[in-house]
Amino acid sequence: MAVETYARIQPWVKISEGGYVNDRNDLGRATNHGITQGTLSAIRGYDVSVEEVKALTYQEALQIYRQEYWVPIKGDQLPAGLDYAVYDFAVNSGVSRAVRFLQEIVGAKRDGVMGPFTLSAIRKCGKSVPEIIERLCEARWAYMKTLGSWKHFRIGWTTRVMGRRTGVQSDDIGVIDRAVMLATSTGEPIPDPKPYQGGKARCEDKKVLASWLTPDGITKGAMAASGLSGILAGSGPVQWACAIALVISVCVGGFLLIRNERMA
């Protein structure tokens, strides 16, 4: 087990996460030391301002990392290398998601909670630690490709997780090989990650579902319903053709609205 790994890998996570950013394409929005405005608000118990995020010290961020990410993934109880792969995934995409992906690989119940059954499954699944690491990082990378922010951060995310394995022009070996090196303990020096431009790789499906509940979405829906009822009040092929055209336009408009929300 790897109780001592946390101190070794935290500088790597610090480099990967960087300092203060507030990129409109980043799902985390205002973020400092990898801690988002939403995470900091939840921890402090009130809605923090962007200025408070900007003022977050690295020492407080370290406490948050351990409390909110390392402890929930049971980092001290995971094999060396796998602890880093799961931890970096959790910091970037959330603890529950990182654990669920791991549980899928080792055959444990996918409840998103790192408990004794998942820890036991890691030992008994018949896969070596390097194999689990590689499959986890590959699944993580595949998940990233499904996100609306992929087009903005694909190079940075690929570099962070997969490094040179994908042919990206980078001198970074990525989490995947760095974690395997930790797991195999060859004694070879492990290079630090390279700073990159990235963002939080988290799905924001709730935002998409809520897009129709905005004043603009409700108004558009009401106008469409009113127009459709007016058309159907008449009769004949012209009215029905207009009704069909309106329904199609509403569906297309809804698709475009959802797509734009995903890309925001």
Side-chain angles (χ1 to χ4, degrees):
M1 298 303 165
V3 175
E4 71 282 0
T5 303
Y6 180 80
R8 184 175 188 183
I9 67 176
Q10 193 56 51
W12 296 347
V13 175
K14 183 179 187 294
I15 292 172
S16 295
E17 288 292 337
Y20 175 76
V21 292
N22 193 2
D23 188 334
R24 69 177 299 274
N25 296 309
D26 184 352
L27 297 177
R29 298 301 169 97
T31 304
N32 197 8
H33 305 302
I35 307 301
T36 67
Q37 188 172 2
T39 297
L40 189 60
S41 295
I43 290 170
R44 293 187 177 177
Y46 65 92
D47 292 333
V48 301
S49 66
V50 170
E51 291 303 317
E52 287 176 289
V53 175
K54 193 179 295 186
L56 177 70
T57 67
Y58 184 57
Q59 288 305 311
E60 183 178 357
L62 278 177
Q63 296 174 358
I64 294 172
Y65 274 126
R66 178 174 284 280
Q67 172 187 326
E68 301 296 325
Y69 300 101
W70 184 258
V71 172
I73 68 161
K74 301 288 192 296
D76 288 342
Q77 300 179 53
L78 290 173
L82 183 58
D83 48 8
Y84 170 49
V86 177
Y87 176 62
D88 191 83
F89 191 171
V91 168
N92 197 214
S93 300
V95 170
S96 178
R97 181 172 292 107
V99 173
R100 288 199 308 272
F101 275 61
L102 174 64
Q103 289 169 331
E104 177 73 22
I105 293 167
V106 302
K109 180 181 178 182
R110 296 181 72 253
D111 59 6
V113 178
M114 186 73 77
F117 292 107
T118 300
L119 293 170
S120 177
I122 292 169
R123 297 191 301 269
K124 299 177 180 179
C125 68
K127 301 178 181 68
S128 67
V129 172
E131 182 182 356
I132 296 173
I133 290 170
E134 290 181 351
R135 290 188 57 178
L136 180 65
C137 289
E138 288 165 358
R140 175 184 176 185
W141 188 44
Y143 159 72
M144 287 174 160
K145 295 179 183 180
T146 69
L147 301 178
S149 298
W150 171 254
K151 69 176 183 177
H152 301 288
F153 301 124
R154 62 186 183 280
I155 295 177
W157 286 347
T158 299
T159 299
R160 175 173 179 165
V161 179
M162 303 299 292
R164 297 189 296 250
R165 287 202 183 197
T166 61
V168 172
Q169 292 184 345
S170 170
D171 53 358
D172 193 350
I173 63 174
V175 171
I176 189 169
D177 283 321
R178 198 172 291 109
V180 168
M181 292 177 74
L182 280 172
T184 53
S185 298
T186 61
E188 181 182 355
I190 303 177
D192 292 338
K194 305 298 180 182
Y196 76 103
Q197 181 182 7
K200 289 298 181 184
R202 295 176 181 170
C203 182
E204 293 291 315
D205 289 338
K206 290 182 180 179
K207 179 181 178 183
V208 173
L209 293 175
S211 62
W212 288 101
L213 299 181
T214 62
D216 184 55
I218 293 172
T219 300
K220 289 178 180 177
M223 290 174 62
S226 176
L228 182 60
S229 63
I231 291 172
L232 292 179
S235 61
V238 175
Q239 284 80 5
W240 280 105
C242 291
I244 292 171
L246 179 58
V247 170
I248 292 173
S249 67
V250 170
C251 291
V252 171
F255 167 77
L256 293 176
L257 176 61
I258 290 175
R259 187 189 67 174
N260 290 338
E261 288 291 342
R262 282 187 180 277
M263 298 299 181

